[in-house]
Amino acid sequence: SGETEGLRRQAQENPNNPQIRFDLALALYGDGLTEGAIETLVDLVKTHPSWNEESARTQLLKIFDALGHADPITVEGRRKLSAVLFS
């Protein structure tokens, strides 16, 4: 959608702004681009782990729950999140 593309541009222009990156992840998820949303949120957990009361990690867990524990996207996303949290 146009909103997603606008947020992508803003995120590229302001890579250290966690709110824009979080909003982009939500827009990606809303557009059905779940893997892109997960990638964006995992990166946000890596760069801003405690931002906004750990909103990125919390949103990741909500996405994983919505997809189901056996979904391949969840399995891969959890692996990536674990690598960030335990590295």
Side-chain angles (χ1 to χ4, degrees), residues 48-68:
H48 295 84
S50 58
W51 170 79
N52 198 21
E53 298 180 10
E54 299 183 352
S55 290
R57 187 180 66 79
T58 301
Q59 187 62 42
L60 277 167
L61 297 177
K62 288 179 183 179
I63 291 172
F64 297 155
D65 284 343
L67 293 173

Side-chain angles (χ1 to χ4, degrees), residues 1-74:
S1 73
E3 178 186 6
T4 302
E5 289 309 312
L7 287 167
R8 280 186 204 269
R9 280 192 300 279
Q10 288 181 31
Q12 289 173 349
E13 294 168 2
N14 303 291
N16 292 318
N17 184 321
Q19 184 66 57
I20 291 172
R21 291 170 50 209
F22 185 80
D23 292 345
L24 173 60
L26 295 181
L28 290 168
Y29 185 65
D31 286 348
L33 302 170
T34 305
E35 291 169 315
I38 290 172
E39 289 286 333
T40 302
L41 290 167
V42 167
D43 187 57
L44 191 52
V45 168
K46 181 177 181 179
T47 59
H48 295 84
S50 58
W51 170 79
N52 198 21
E53 298 180 10
E54 299 183 352
S55 290
R57 187 180 66 79
T58 301
Q59 187 62 42
L60 277 167
L61 297 177
K62 288 179 183 179
I63 291 172
F64 297 155
D65 284 343
L67 293 173
H69 298 293
D71 188 290
I73 296 172
T74 298

